[in-house]
Amino acid sequence: MVSLTLFLFATTICLILKRVNSCTGDKCNNWDQIDLGNYLYIQSDPWGSGNAKQGWCECISGSTSGPATVDFEFYANDGSNNHVMAYPSIVAGWNFGNYKYGQGKGGLPLLTSDVQKGAKLMTSWSVSYKTSNSNTTGDAFDVAWDIWLGPSNGQTNPGSPSGELMIWINSQNETPWGTLKADNLTFWNTKWKFYLNEGGSGTPLWAFERIEKTWDVSDVDLAEFVNYLAENKYINSTQYLLGVQCGTELFQGKGSFTHTYKLDVSNPNEFMDK
């Protein structure tokens, strides 16, 4: 009986270890980072993993000469797809009180008034997705930018943001949180929906969802969305765009995402009116 108990215990441990290590990648610890060059890095970000079943995993890979990859497995304790488990993402600029390469490197932070005067955030992003889920339509995620804004007093390195702008180019089994405010806006020569989440006492969220989903965008300007928010009085000219992230909010599933990405922030007003 003792031998059988020990055998079952050892078998259980092996199964747990196998599940914990079911993801593969260069780095598999929480909040790991890998430099990608051009003042960009990829980070693992398991901020919602407290809602995940035991055995979840998240690994990242990347280099300065190739694409970045995320390997993941997340399922919710309550069996739903209502919780963001993680947001593994490529980061430029500010990241909750920290500029990894130094403030100003890569063109961030960027004042909203400079965007209104013609500063650009040109970007290209190509994503490939491979599911390992036996239910191939069961994964739930979004593919989105997260742009963080500072407070109205012009602070450039706050501990937390005063606004969050999301730009969804693709998703599966998810829609942005908030109230639908518009469903026929045009950016990048295609149609978008716009959602507003006032945030209550927290951070307001403005989310744009591309109606015709895509895995690839090329040479487009994130400033178009910033200008829309400024023109419609959701943000003001004294707020800074602190940081720009792009990645996948993971709600549930098992698989991998591979990202080829570039971001070029240009500000013709940088040396004007100084």
Side-chain angles (χ1 to χ4, degrees):
M1 180 63 71
V2 173
S3 297
L4 178 59
T5 301
L6 290 174
F7 173 77
L8 291 174
F9 177 76
T11 301
T12 301
I13 292 296
C14 288
L15 289 173
I16 291 173
L17 289 174
K18 182 178 180 181
R19 182 173 174 80
V20 168
N21 294 314
S22 63
C23 297
T24 59
D26 294 339
K27 293 188 176 183
C28 298
N29 294 321
N30 295 348
W31 307 105
D32 273 338
Q33 299 177 353
I34 299 175
D35 291 321
L36 301 177
N38 296 317
Y39 305 112
L40 299 172
Y41 62 95
I42 186 171
Q43 69 170 5
S44 62
D45 182 349
W47 69 271
S49 59
N51 293 309
K53 288 182 179 179
Q54 185 178 4
W56 64 268
C57 57
E58 177 188 10
C59 293
I60 57 173
S61 301
S63 69
T64 58
S65 60
T69 301
V70 177
D71 200 40
F72 69 94
E73 181 174 5
F74 286 97
Y75 294 98
N77 284 320
D78 62 8
S80 75
N81 63 337
N82 298 325
H83 311 287
V84 178
M85 305 291 181
Y87 181 54
S89 55
I90 298 173
V91 182
W94 179 90
N95 189 10
F96 287 80
N98 178 55
Y99 288 87
K100 181 178 176 69
Y101 304 107
Q103 186 169 313
K105 298 295 185 181
L108 295 169
L110 180 64
L111 195 60
T112 296
S113 62
D114 283 343
V115 176
Q116 293 173 293
K117 295 174 185 176
K120 296 182 178 298
L121 298 99
M122 299 301 298
T123 186
S124 296
W125 187 13
S126 177
V127 184
S128 62
Y129 157 60
K130 180 180 179 181
T131 182
S132 301
N133 192 346
S134 57
N135 175 10
T136 57
T137 61
D139 291 352
F141 57 83
D142 63 60
V143 180
W145 277 274
D146 222 339
I147 300 177
W148 302 105
L149 287 99
S152 299
N153 64 8
Q155 211 174 341
T156 59
N157 193 17
S160 58
S162 295
E164 179 181 5
L165 162 59
M166 294 199 75
I167 303 167
W168 290 35
I169 60 170
N170 210 323
S171 62
Q172 182 170 296
N173 296 321
E174 298 297 334
T175 56
W177 294 333
T179 301
L180 180 63
K181 304 294 288 186
D183 61 3
N184 195 35
L185 300 178
T186 300
F187 304 100
W188 305 345
N189 297 314
T190 192
K191 296 297 183 181
W192 298 73
K193 295 179 180 180
F194 172 54
Y195 297 81
L196 172 64
N197 188 329
E198 298 284 3
S201 60
T203 303
L205 168 64
W206 311 284
F208 296 87
E209 180 186 29
R210 182 173 165 137
I211 295 174
E212 184 180 347
K213 298 176 182 179
T214 185
W215 295 104
D216 301 275
V217 292
S218 180
D219 296 323
V220 291
D221 190 1
L222 299 174
E224 290 187 29
F225 299 91
V226 178
N227 278 321
Y228 177 86
L229 295 182
E231 289 166 5
N232 289 277
K233 311 301 182 184
Y234 291 108
I235 62 176
N236 64 56
S237 60
T238 59
Q239 289 181 266
Y240 275 90
L241 279 64
L242 303 171
V244 177
Q245 297 176 234
C246 71
T248 49
E249 286 188 317
L250 304 174
F251 293 78
Q252 73 171 17
K254 175 177 173 60
S256 63
F257 288 92
T258 300
H259 306 272
T260 302
Y261 180 69
K262 68 177 182 179
L263 174 69
D264 180 20
V265 179
S266 61
N267 184 5
N269 313 293
E270 187 174 4
F271 300 106
M272 299 172 64
D273 302 322
K274 300 296 184 184

